[in-house]
Amino acid sequence: PQSRGKYHHEKIDNAEYSSLKRFLQGTSVYSDELGIAGRIDLLDTKTGVLIDRKYKIKEIFEGYKLQLYAQYVCLREMRYEVNAIKLHSLSDNKRYSLPLPGKAEIEKLTEIINKIYSYNPSEEPEGITANKCNNCIYNNLCVYAKSS
């Protein structure tokens, strides 16, 4: 599944999605405030729409939202205007609008980032369930993976 997603992501990663200068494609972003860095898929600088592309969206997972919220914070800190955030499912060409993050969502994101920074690999993480593991792309690599 990851190879198919990687294939469909190449146009973004190589900034070949569009030749229009208004689109930021596969651009690195960062937040000094949160201590994170990453890459966005697409930001239309004319409309302020941030889009994250996935091969197939069956369900909007919390991680999808948190990823977009983190990108939102990074872009705002970098002085870009973000007016809307969306997920785009490539396999069926559907778009899903998400609300812009409020104070509660940013606090949750910050809490999760702090947990990541304080991660201790010798301690089993909280909240591991078989359902979560079955939907995780790292299931076959994880020493804590549970099966149903």
Side-chain angles (χ1 to χ4, degrees):
Q2 288 301 302
S3 58
R4 183 171 38 199
K6 187 174 182 177
Y7 168 77
H8 287 283
H9 224 273
E10 284 179 357
K11 288 206 180 296
I12 291 292
D13 292 340
N14 298 328
E16 298 170 348
Y17 171 78
S18 173
S19 61
L20 295 175
K21 299 295 180 203
R22 69 188 248 191
F23 292 108
L24 296 181
Q25 310 169 64
T27 302
S28 294
V29 294
Y30 66 91
S31 167
D32 288 331
E33 182 180 326
L34 295 178
I36 59 172
R39 288 175 65 166
I40 62 165
D41 283 355
L42 198 61
L43 175 68
D44 184 336
T45 59
K46 186 175 181 180
T47 62
V49 176
L50 172 63
I51 301 170
D52 189 45
R53 298 161 27 120
K54 306 285 184 201
Y55 177 69
K56 187 171 190 172
I57 298 173
K58 295 180 192 174
E59 176 182 343
I60 298 176
F61 293 105
E62 188 69 13
Y64 293 174
K65 294 178 190 177
L66 291 170
Q67 178 182 347
L68 277 164
Y69 295 163
Q71 292 172 356
Y72 169 86
V73 170
C74 291
L75 286 163
R76 295 291 306 246
E77 192 173 317
M78 294 170 65
R79 307 270 190 248
Y80 284 99
E81 186 174 329
V82 180
N83 298 315
I85 55 178
K86 299 181 181 206
L87 286 165
H88 182 83
S89 179
L90 295 168
S91 65
D92 54 11
N93 203 32
K94 288 185 180 177
R95 286 224 171 136
Y96 303 90
S97 294
L98 299 175
L100 291 175
K103 184 178 178 184
E105 290 82 8
I106 300 301
E107 286 174 357
K108 181 176 184 176
L109 174 65
T110 303
E111 179 184 322
I112 290 171
I113 290 168
N114 289 335
K115 282 184 179 182
I116 290 169
Y117 283 140
S118 63
Y119 172 69
N120 181 345
S122 64
E123 297 174 7
E124 183 171 336
E126 300 172 10
I128 297 177
T129 65
N131 185 45
K132 205 178 241 188
C133 290
N134 289 338
N135 289 310
C136 180
I137 64 172
Y138 303 109
N139 187 330
N140 60 336
L141 301 173
C142 182
V143 297
Y144 301 114
K146 299 186 183 323
S147 60
S148 54

PDB file of all heavy atoms in Angstrom, residues 68-101:
ATOM      1  N   LEU A  68      -2.630  17.831   9.574  1.00  0.00           N
ATOM      2  CA  LEU A  68      -3.014  19.101   8.954  1.00  0.00           C
ATOM      3  C   LEU A  68      -2.954  20.256   9.946  1.00  0.00           C
ATOM      4  O   LEU A  68      -2.570  21.364   9.586  1.00  0.00           O
ATOM      5  CB  LEU A  68      -4.410  18.986   8.342  1.00  0.00           C
ATOM      6  CG  LEU A  68      -4.431  18.358   6.949  1.00  0.00           C
ATOM      7  CD1 LEU A  68      -5.838  17.916   6.572  1.00  0.00           C
ATOM      8  CD2 LEU A  68      -3.895  19.335   5.917  1.00  0.00           C
ATOM      9  N   TYR A  69      -3.318  20.002  11.207  1.00  0.00           N
ATOM     10  CA  TYR A  69      -3.233  21.050  12.211  1.00  0.00           C
ATOM     11  C   TYR A  69      -1.782  21.473  12.423  1.00  0.00           C
ATOM     12  O   TYR A  69      -1.491  22.665  12.566  1.00  0.00           O
ATOM     13  CB  TYR A  69      -3.853  20.605  13.534  1.00  0.00           C
ATOM     14  CG  TYR A  69      -5.347  20.353  13.476  1.00  0.00           C
ATOM     15  CD1 TYR A  69      -5.975  19.620  14.461  1.00  0.00           C
ATOM     16  CD2 TYR A  69      -6.139  20.847  12.446  1.00  0.00           C
ATOM     17  CE1 TYR A  69      -7.349  19.381  14.425  1.00  0.00           C
ATOM     18  CE2 TYR A  69      -7.501  20.614  12.399  1.00  0.00           C
ATOM     19  CZ  TYR A  69      -8.099  19.881  13.395  1.00  0.00           C
ATOM     20  OH  TYR A  69      -9.451  19.649  13.360  1.00  0.00           O
ATOM     21  N   ALA A  70      -0.878  20.513  12.437  1.00  0.00           N
ATOM     22  CA  ALA A  70       0.546  20.830  12.591  1.00  0.00           C
ATOM     23  C   ALA A  70       1.035  21.650  11.396  1.00  0.00           C
ATOM     24  O   ALA A  70       1.762  22.638  11.557  1.00  0.00           O
ATOM     25  CB  ALA A  70       1.363  19.547  12.747  1.00  0.00           C
ATOM     26  N   GLN A  71       0.624  21.260  10.201  1.00  0.00           N
ATOM     27  CA  GLN A  71       1.019  22.013   9.002  1.00  0.00           C
ATOM     28  C   GLN A  71       0.430  23.421   9.041  1.00  0.00           C
ATOM     29  O   GLN A  71       1.091  24.387   8.659  1.00  0.00           O
ATOM     30  CB  GLN A  71       0.552  21.266   7.748  1.00  0.00           C
ATOM     31  CG  GLN A  71       1.276  19.955   7.531  1.00  0.00           C
ATOM     32  CD  GLN A  71       0.676  19.136   6.410  1.00  0.00           C
ATOM     33  OE1 GLN A  71      -0.340  19.495   5.816  1.00  0.00           O
ATOM     34  NE2 GLN A  71       1.304  18.014   6.116  1.00  0.00           N
ATOM     35  N   TYR A  72      -0.793  23.529   9.508  1.00  0.00           N
ATOM     36  CA  TYR A  72      -1.448  24.825   9.654  1.00  0.00           C
ATOM     37  C   TYR A  72      -0.632  25.743  10.573  1.00  0.00           C
ATOM     38  O   TYR A  72      -0.354  26.894  10.231  1.00  0.00           O
ATOM     39  CB  TYR A  72      -2.869  24.617  10.206  1.00  0.00           C
ATOM     40  CG  TYR A  72      -3.584  25.860  10.647  1.00  0.00           C
ATOM     41  CD1 TYR A  72      -4.304  26.626   9.739  1.00  0.00           C
ATOM     42  CD2 TYR A  72      -3.561  26.266  11.986  1.00  0.00           C
ATOM     43  CE1 TYR A  72      -4.975  27.761  10.149  1.00  0.00           C
ATOM     44  CE2 TYR A  72      -4.239  27.409  12.394  1.00  0.00           C
ATOM     45  CZ  TYR A  72      -4.934  28.146  11.472  1.00  0.00           C
ATOM     46  OH  TYR A  72      -5.597  29.283  11.878  1.00  0.00           O
ATOM     47  N   VAL A  73      -0.250  25.219  11.730  1.00  0.00           N
ATOM     48  CA  VAL A  73       0.533  26.012  12.688  1.00  0.00           C
ATOM     49  C   VAL A  73       1.856  26.439  12.053  1.00  0.00           C
ATOM     50  O   VAL A  73       2.269  27.604  12.165  1.00  0.00           O
ATOM     51  CB  VAL A  73       0.769  25.223  13.998  1.00  0.00           C
ATOM     52  CG1 VAL A  73       1.782  25.932  14.879  1.00  0.00           C
ATOM     53  CG2 VAL A  73      -0.540  25.024  14.736  1.00  0.00           C
ATOM     54  N   CYS A  74       2.520  25.511  11.387  1.00  0.00           N
ATOM     55  CA  CYS A  74       3.793  25.832  10.737  1.00  0.00           C
ATOM     56  C   CYS A  74       3.618  26.943   9.708  1.00  0.00           C
ATOM     57  O   CYS A  74       4.382  27.920   9.696  1.00  0.00           O
ATOM     58  CB  CYS A  74       4.374  24.587  10.057  1.00  0.00           C
ATOM     59  SG  CYS A  74       4.953  23.301  11.177  1.00  0.00           S
ATOM     60  N   LEU A  75       2.635  26.796   8.851  1.00  0.00           N
ATOM     61  CA  LEU A  75       2.418  27.793   7.797  1.00  0.00           C
ATOM     62  C   LEU A  75       2.065  29.156   8.370  1.00  0.00           C
ATOM     63  O   LEU A  75       2.554  30.186   7.891  1.00  0.00           O
ATOM     64  CB  LEU A  75       1.327  27.311   6.832  1.00  0.00           C
ATOM     65  CG  LEU A  75       1.758  26.204   5.889  1.00  0.00           C
ATOM     66  CD1 LEU A  75       0.542  25.518   5.274  1.00  0.00           C
ATOM     67  CD2 LEU A  75       2.684  26.753   4.802  1.00  0.00           C
ATOM     68  N   ARG A  76       1.230  29.187   9.397  1.00  0.00           N
ATOM     69  CA  ARG A  76       0.866  30.466  10.021  1.00  0.00           C
ATOM     70  C   ARG A  76       2.095  31.131  10.640  1.00  0.00           C
ATOM     71  O   ARG A  76       2.286  32.337  10.517  1.00  0.00           O
ATOM     72  CB  ARG A  76      -0.213  30.253  11.086  1.00  0.00           C
ATOM     73  CG  ARG A  76      -1.557  29.765  10.561  1.00  0.00           C
ATOM     74  CD  ARG A  76      -2.276  30.822   9.758  1.00  0.00           C
ATOM     75  NE  ARG A  76      -2.394  32.029  10.520  1.00  0.00           N
ATOM     76  CZ  ARG A  76      -3.510  32.559  10.960  1.00  0.00           C
ATOM     77  NH1 ARG A  76      -4.654  31.984  10.660  1.00  0.00           N
ATOM     78  NH2 ARG A  76      -3.521  33.664  11.662  1.00  0.00           N
ATOM     79  N   GLU A  77       2.924  30.315  11.294  1.00  0.00           N
ATOM     80  CA  GLU A  77       4.146  30.855  11.889  1.00  0.00           C
ATOM     81  C   GLU A  77       5.102  31.377  10.815  1.00  0.00           C
ATOM     82  O   GLU A  77       5.852  32.321  11.043  1.00  0.00           O
ATOM     83  CB  GLU A  77       4.825  29.769  12.733  1.00  0.00           C
ATOM     84  CG  GLU A  77       5.923  30.302  13.617  1.00  0.00           C
ATOM     85  CD  GLU A  77       6.469  29.247  14.560  1.00  0.00           C
ATOM     86  OE1 GLU A  77       5.685  28.483  15.158  1.00  0.00           O
ATOM     87  OE2 GLU A  77       7.704  29.192  14.701  1.00  0.00           O
ATOM     88  N   MET A  78       5.042  30.758   9.635  1.00  0.00           N
ATOM     89  CA  MET A  78       5.882  31.198   8.514  1.00  0.00           C
ATOM     90  C   MET A  78       5.222  32.340   7.730  1.00  0.00           C
ATOM     91  O   MET A  78       5.693  32.722   6.675  1.00  0.00           O
ATOM     92  CB  MET A  78       6.159  30.002   7.588  1.00  0.00           C
ATOM     93  CG  MET A  78       7.008  28.923   8.236  1.00  0.00           C
ATOM     94  SD  MET A  78       7.090  27.397   7.253  1.00  0.00           S
ATOM     95  CE  MET A  78       7.965  27.963   5.792  1.00  0.00           C
ATOM     96  N   ARG A  79       4.123  32.880   8.271  1.00  0.00           N
ATOM     97  CA  ARG A  79       3.418  34.042   7.732  1.00  0.00           C
ATOM     98  C   ARG A  79       2.612  33.755   6.459  1.00  0.00           C
ATOM     99  O   ARG A  79       2.367  34.652   5.651  1.00  0.00           O
ATOM    100  CB  ARG A  79       4.363  35.215   7.470  1.00  0.00           C
ATOM    101  CG  ARG A  79       5.207  35.606   8.660  1.00  0.00           C
ATOM    102  CD  ARG A  79       4.491  36.645   9.487  1.00  0.00           C
ATOM    103  NE  ARG A  79       5.379  37.202  10.495  1.00  0.00           N
ATOM    104  CZ  ARG A  79       5.220  36.997  11.790  1.00  0.00           C
ATOM    105  NH1 ARG A  79       4.245  36.255  12.220  1.00  0.00           N
ATOM    106  NH2 ARG A  79       6.037  37.544  12.668  1.00  0.00           N
ATOM    107  N   TYR A  80       2.179  32.507   6.276  1.00  0.00           N
ATOM    108  CA  TYR A  80       1.277  32.186   5.173  1.00  0.00           C
ATOM    109  C   TYR A  80      -0.151  32.244   5.696  1.00  0.00           C
ATOM    110  O   TYR A  80      -0.418  31.909   6.845  1.00  0.00           O
ATOM    111  CB  TYR A  80       1.550  30.790   4.604  1.00  0.00           C
ATOM    112  CG  TYR A  80       2.783  30.726   3.746  1.00  0.00           C
ATOM    113  CD1 TYR A  80       3.983  30.248   4.265  1.00  0.00           C
ATOM    114  CD2 TYR A  80       2.751  31.154   2.426  1.00  0.00           C
ATOM    115  CE1 TYR A  80       5.119  30.189   3.475  1.00  0.00           C
ATOM    116  CE2 TYR A  80       3.888  31.103   1.632  1.00  0.00           C
ATOM    117  CZ  TYR A  80       5.062  30.622   2.168  1.00  0.00           C
ATOM    118  OH  TYR A  80       6.183  30.577   1.385  1.00  0.00           O
ATOM    119  N   GLU A  81      -1.053  32.664   4.844  1.00  0.00           N
ATOM    120  CA  GLU A  81      -2.467  32.706   5.203  1.00  0.00           C
ATOM    121  C   GLU A  81      -3.088  31.344   4.880  1.00  0.00           C
ATOM    122  O   GLU A  81      -2.942  30.836   3.769  1.00  0.00           O
ATOM    123  CB  GLU A  81      -3.170  33.803   4.403  1.00  0.00           C
ATOM    124  CG  GLU A  81      -4.593  34.019   4.814  1.00  0.00           C
ATOM    125  CD  GLU A  81      -5.224  35.205   4.102  1.00  0.00           C
ATOM    126  OE1 GLU A  81      -4.504  36.157   3.773  1.00  0.00           O
ATOM    127  OE2 GLU A  81      -6.440  35.147   3.885  1.00  0.00           O
ATOM    128  N   VAL A  82      -3.757  30.758   5.862  1.00  0.00           N
ATOM    129  CA  VAL A  82      -4.459  29.488   5.655  1.00  0.00           C
ATOM    130  C   VAL A  82      -5.917  29.709   6.050  1.00  0.00           C
ATOM    131  O   VAL A  82      -6.223  29.966   7.206  1.00  0.00           O
ATOM    132  CB  VAL A  82      -3.839  28.341   6.492  1.00  0.00           C
ATOM    133  CG1 VAL A  82      -4.593  27.040   6.250  1.00  0.00           C
ATOM    134  CG2 VAL A  82      -2.356  28.174   6.182  1.00  0.00           C
ATOM    135  N   ASN A  83      -6.799  29.638   5.060  1.00  0.00           N
ATOM    136  CA  ASN A  83      -8.219  29.905   5.276  1.00  0.00           C
ATOM    137  C   ASN A  83      -9.063  28.639   5.371  1.00  0.00           C
ATOM    138  O   ASN A  83     -10.193  28.689   5.856  1.00  0.00           O
ATOM    139  CB  ASN A  83      -8.775  30.777   4.146  1.00  0.00           C
ATOM    140  CG  ASN A  83      -8.086  32.119   4.096  1.00  0.00           C
ATOM    141  OD1 ASN A  83      -7.884  32.755   5.127  1.00  0.00           O
ATOM    142  ND2 ASN A  83      -7.700  32.549   2.913  1.00  0.00           N
ATOM    143  N   ALA A  84      -8.532  27.535   4.856  1.00  0.00           N
ATOM    144  CA  ALA A  84      -9.279  26.281   4.868  1.00  0.00           C
ATOM    145  C   ALA A  84      -8.288  25.122   4.794  1.00  0.00           C
ATOM    146  O   ALA A  84      -7.195  25.261   4.239  1.00  0.00           O
ATOM    147  CB  ALA A  84     -10.234  26.220   3.683  1.00  0.00           C
ATOM    148  N   ILE A  85      -8.703  23.986   5.366  1.00  0.00           N
ATOM    149  CA  ILE A  85      -7.879  22.778   5.263  1.00  0.00           C
ATOM    150  C   ILE A  85      -8.750  21.642   4.742  1.00  0.00           C
ATOM    151  O   ILE A  85      -9.930  21.525   5.106  1.00  0.00           O
ATOM    152  CB  ILE A  85      -7.190  22.406   6.595  1.00  0.00           C
ATOM    153  CG1 ILE A  85      -8.184  22.265   7.729  1.00  0.00           C
ATOM    154  CG2 ILE A  85      -6.114  23.409   6.940  1.00  0.00           C
ATOM    155  CD1 ILE A  85      -7.545  21.842   9.043  1.00  0.00           C
ATOM    156  N   LYS A  86      -8.153  20.833   3.868  1.00  0.00           N
ATOM    157  CA  LYS A  86      -8.901  19.757   3.217  1.00  0.00           C
ATOM    158  C   LYS A  86      -8.043  18.514   3.064  1.00  0.00           C
ATOM    159  O   LYS A  86      -6.821  18.606   2.929  1.00  0.00           O
ATOM    160  CB  LYS A  86      -9.382  20.200   1.836  1.00  0.00           C
ATOM    161  CG  LYS A  86     -10.308  21.387   1.880  1.00  0.00           C
ATOM    162  CD  LYS A  86     -10.796  21.792   0.519  1.00  0.00           C
ATOM    163  CE  LYS A  86     -11.689  23.010   0.673  1.00  0.00           C
ATOM    164  NZ  LYS A  86     -12.656  23.156  -0.351  1.00  0.00           N
ATOM    165  N   LEU A  87      -8.720  17.378   3.070  1.00  0.00           N
ATOM    166  CA  LEU A  87      -8.100  16.105   2.714  1.00  0.00           C
ATOM    167  C   LEU A  87      -8.592  15.743   1.326  1.00  0.00           C
ATOM    168  O   LEU A  87      -9.770  15.949   1.008  1.00  0.00           O
ATOM    169  CB  LEU A  87      -8.514  15.008   3.703  1.00  0.00           C
ATOM    170  CG  LEU A  87      -7.886  15.066   5.079  1.00  0.00           C
ATOM    171  CD1 LEU A  87      -8.646  14.168   6.043  1.00  0.00           C
ATOM    172  CD2 LEU A  87      -6.424  14.638   5.009  1.00  0.00           C
ATOM    173  N   HIS A  88      -7.707  15.207   0.496  1.00  0.00           N
ATOM    174  CA  HIS A  88      -8.092  14.807  -0.852  1.00  0.00           C
ATOM    175  C   HIS A  88      -7.794  13.326  -1.025  1.00  0.00           C
ATOM    176  O   HIS A  88      -6.664  12.889  -0.824  1.00  0.00           O
ATOM    177  CB  HIS A  88      -7.330  15.623  -1.900  1.00  0.00           C
ATOM    178  CG  HIS A  88      -7.724  15.281  -3.295  1.00  0.00           C
ATOM    179  ND1 HIS A  88      -8.828  15.832  -3.892  1.00  0.00           N
ATOM    180  CD2 HIS A  88      -7.181  14.429  -4.197  1.00  0.00           C
ATOM    181  CE1 HIS A  88      -8.939  15.342  -5.118  1.00  0.00           C
ATOM    182  NE2 HIS A  88      -7.957  14.487  -5.323  1.00  0.00           N
ATOM    183  N   SER A  89      -8.815  12.549  -1.356  1.00  0.00           N
ATOM    184  CA  SER A  89      -8.681  11.123  -1.607  1.00  0.00           C
ATOM    185  C   SER A  89      -8.448  10.913  -3.099  1.00  0.00           C
ATOM    186  O   SER A  89      -9.319  11.186  -3.924  1.00  0.00           O
ATOM    187  CB  SER A  89      -9.950  10.399  -1.153  1.00  0.00           C
ATOM    188  OG  SER A  89      -9.867   9.021  -1.399  1.00  0.00           O
ATOM    189  N   LEU A  90      -7.253  10.442  -3.449  1.00  0.00           N
ATOM    190  CA  LEU A  90      -6.881  10.311  -4.852  1.00  0.00           C
ATOM    191  C   LEU A  90      -7.656   9.216  -5.579  1.00  0.00           C
ATOM    192  O   LEU A  90      -7.995   9.368  -6.746  1.00  0.00           O
ATOM    193  CB  LEU A  90      -5.373  10.040  -4.966  1.00  0.00           C
ATOM    194  CG  LEU A  90      -4.465  11.171  -4.481  1.00  0.00           C
ATOM    195  CD1 LEU A  90      -3.031  10.691  -4.375  1.00  0.00           C
ATOM    196  CD2 LEU A  90      -4.566  12.360  -5.409  1.00  0.00           C
ATOM    197  N   SER A  91      -7.922   8.107  -4.900  1.00  0.00           N
ATOM    198  CA  SER A  91      -8.535   6.970  -5.582  1.00  0.00           C
ATOM    199  C   SER A  91      -9.950   7.259  -6.076  1.00  0.00           C
ATOM    200  O   SER A  91     -10.359   6.741  -7.106  1.00  0.00           O
ATOM    201  CB  SER A  91      -8.545   5.738  -4.684  1.00  0.00           C
ATOM    202  OG  SER A  91      -9.371   5.966  -3.564  1.00  0.00           O
ATOM    203  N   ASP A  92     -10.700   8.089  -5.356  1.00  0.00           N
ATOM    204  CA  ASP A  92     -12.071   8.395  -5.771  1.00  0.00           C
ATOM    205  C   ASP A  92     -12.289   9.894  -6.020  1.00  0.00           C
ATOM    206  O   ASP A  92     -13.403  10.335  -6.251  1.00  0.00           O
ATOM    207  CB  ASP A  92     -13.078   7.874  -4.752  1.00  0.00           C
ATOM    208  CG  ASP A  92     -12.794   8.358  -3.340  1.00  0.00           C
ATOM    209  OD1 ASP A  92     -11.947   9.265  -3.160  1.00  0.00           O
ATOM    210  OD2 ASP A  92     -13.405   7.817  -2.407  1.00  0.00           O
ATOM    211  N   ASN A  93     -11.210  10.663  -5.947  1.00  0.00           N
ATOM    212  CA  ASN A  93     -11.234  12.100  -6.241  1.00  0.00           C
ATOM    213  C   ASN A  93     -12.224  12.873  -5.371  1.00  0.00           C
ATOM    214  O   ASN A  93     -12.891  13.795  -5.834  1.00  0.00           O
ATOM    215  CB  ASN A  93     -11.519  12.347  -7.724  1.00  0.00           C
ATOM    216  CG  ASN A  93     -11.022  13.708  -8.163  1.00  0.00           C
ATOM    217  OD1 ASN A  93     -10.029  14.219  -7.655  1.00  0.00           O
ATOM    218  ND2 ASN A  93     -11.714  14.315  -9.117  1.00  0.00           N
ATOM    219  N   LYS A  94     -12.295  12.494  -4.076  1.00  0.00           N
ATOM    220  CA  LYS A  94     -13.180  13.191  -3.148  1.00  0.00           C
ATOM    221  C   LYS A  94     -12.374  14.112  -2.248  1.00  0.00           C
ATOM    222  O   LYS A  94     -11.244  13.796  -1.876  1.00  0.00           O
ATOM    223  CB  LYS A  94     -13.949  12.193  -2.275  1.00  0.00           C
ATOM    224  CG  LYS A  94     -15.011  11.432  -3.024  1.00  0.00           C
ATOM    225  CD  LYS A  94     -15.811  10.569  -2.074  1.00  0.00           C
ATOM    226  CE  LYS A  94     -16.879   9.790  -2.828  1.00  0.00           C
ATOM    227  NZ  LYS A  94     -17.604   8.896  -1.927  1.00  0.00           N
ATOM    228  N   ARG A  95     -12.972  15.245  -1.903  1.00  0.00           N
ATOM    229  CA  ARG A  95     -12.356  16.197  -0.973  1.00  0.00           C
ATOM    230  C   ARG A  95     -13.195  16.294   0.284  1.00  0.00           C
ATOM    231  O   ARG A  95     -14.427  16.327   0.227  1.00  0.00           O
ATOM    232  CB  ARG A  95     -12.244  17.578  -1.599  1.00  0.00           C
ATOM    233  CG  ARG A  95     -11.154  17.642  -2.631  1.00  0.00           C
ATOM    234  CD  ARG A  95     -10.330  18.884  -2.490  1.00  0.00           C
ATOM    235  NE  ARG A  95      -9.175  18.772  -3.371  1.00  0.00           N
ATOM    236  CZ  ARG A  95      -8.737  19.724  -4.130  1.00  0.00           C
ATOM    237  NH1 ARG A  95      -9.322  20.895  -4.107  1.00  0.00           N
ATOM    238  NH2 ARG A  95      -7.680  19.543  -4.882  1.00  0.00           N
ATOM    239  N   TYR A  96     -12.494  16.355   1.411  1.00  0.00           N
ATOM    240  CA  TYR A  96     -13.144  16.457   2.705  1.00  0.00           C
ATOM    241  C   TYR A  96     -12.645  17.712   3.405  1.00  0.00           C
ATOM    242  O   TYR A  96     -11.445  17.844   3.659  1.00  0.00           O
ATOM    243  CB  TYR A  96     -12.824  15.227   3.570  1.00  0.00           C
ATOM    244  CG  TYR A  96     -13.223  13.928   2.915  1.00  0.00           C
ATOM    245  CD1 TYR A  96     -12.323  13.232   2.099  1.00  0.00           C
ATOM    246  CD2 TYR A  96     -14.492  13.405   3.091  1.00  0.00           C
ATOM    247  CE1 TYR A  96     -12.683  12.037   1.494  1.00  0.00           C
ATOM    248  CE2 TYR A  96     -14.868  12.204   2.491  1.00  0.00           C
ATOM    249  CZ  TYR A  96     -13.954  11.530   1.688  1.00  0.00           C
ATOM    250  OH  TYR A  96     -14.309  10.348   1.090  1.00  0.00           O
ATOM    251  N   SER A  97     -13.551  18.625   3.685  1.00  0.00           N
ATOM    252  CA  SER A  97     -13.196  19.857   4.391  1.00  0.00           C
ATOM    253  C   SER A  97     -13.148  19.592   5.886  1.00  0.00           C
ATOM    254  O   SER A  97     -14.020  18.906   6.426  1.00  0.00           O
ATOM    255  CB  SER A  97     -14.220  20.955   4.113  1.00  0.00           C
ATOM    256  OG  SER A  97     -14.165  21.330   2.763  1.00  0.00           O
ATOM    257  N   LEU A  98     -12.148  20.125   6.538  1.00  0.00           N
ATOM    258  CA  LEU A  98     -12.019  20.033   7.990  1.00  0.00           C
ATOM    259  C   LEU A  98     -12.070  21.443   8.563  1.00  0.00           C
ATOM    260  O   LEU A  98     -11.619  22.391   7.910  1.00  0.00           O
ATOM    261  CB  LEU A  98     -10.692  19.376   8.375  1.00  0.00           C
ATOM    262  CG  LEU A  98     -10.464  17.949   7.890  1.00  0.00           C
ATOM    263  CD1 LEU A  98      -9.059  17.486   8.249  1.00  0.00           C
ATOM    264  CD2 LEU A  98     -11.490  17.015   8.477  1.00  0.00           C
ATOM    265  N   PRO A  99     -12.580  21.580   9.771  1.00  0.00           N
ATOM    266  CA  PRO A  99     -12.576  22.918  10.377  1.00  0.00           C
ATOM    267  C   PRO A  99     -11.144  23.336  10.725  1.00  0.00           C
ATOM    268  O   PRO A  99     -10.301  22.489  11.026  1.00  0.00           O
ATOM    269  CB  PRO A  99     -13.422  22.749  11.636  1.00  0.00           C
ATOM    270  CG  PRO A  99     -13.380  21.290  11.942  1.00  0.00           C
ATOM    271  CD  PRO A  99     -13.206  20.580  10.632  1.00  0.00           C
ATOM    272  N   LEU A 100     -10.892  24.616  10.670  1.00  0.00           N
ATOM    273  CA  LEU A 100      -9.588  25.112  11.106  1.00  0.00           C
ATOM    274  C   LEU A 100      -9.434  24.810  12.601  1.00  0.00           C
ATOM    275  O   LEU A 100     -10.426  24.832  13.342  1.00  0.00           O
ATOM    276  CB  LEU A 100      -9.475  26.613  10.858  1.00  0.00           C
ATOM    277  CG  LEU A 100      -9.413  27.048   9.390  1.00  0.00           C
ATOM    278  CD1 LEU A 100      -9.439  28.567   9.300  1.00  0.00           C
ATOM    279  CD2 LEU A 100      -8.200  26.492   8.691  1.00  0.00           C
ATOM    280  N   PRO A 101      -8.225  24.525  13.039  1.00  0.00           N
ATOM    281  CA  PRO A 101      -8.049  24.193  14.450  1.00  0.00           C
ATOM    282  C   PRO A 101      -8.296  25.396  15.348  1.00  0.00           C
ATOM    283  O   PRO A 101      -7.908  26.511  15.033  1.00  0.00           O
ATOM    284  CB  PRO A 101      -6.594  23.731  14.534  1.00  0.00           C
ATOM    285  CG  PRO A 101      -5.919  24.400  13.386  1.00  0.00           C
ATOM    286  CD  PRO A 101      -6.957  24.501  12.310  1.00  0.00           C
TER     287      PRO A 101
END
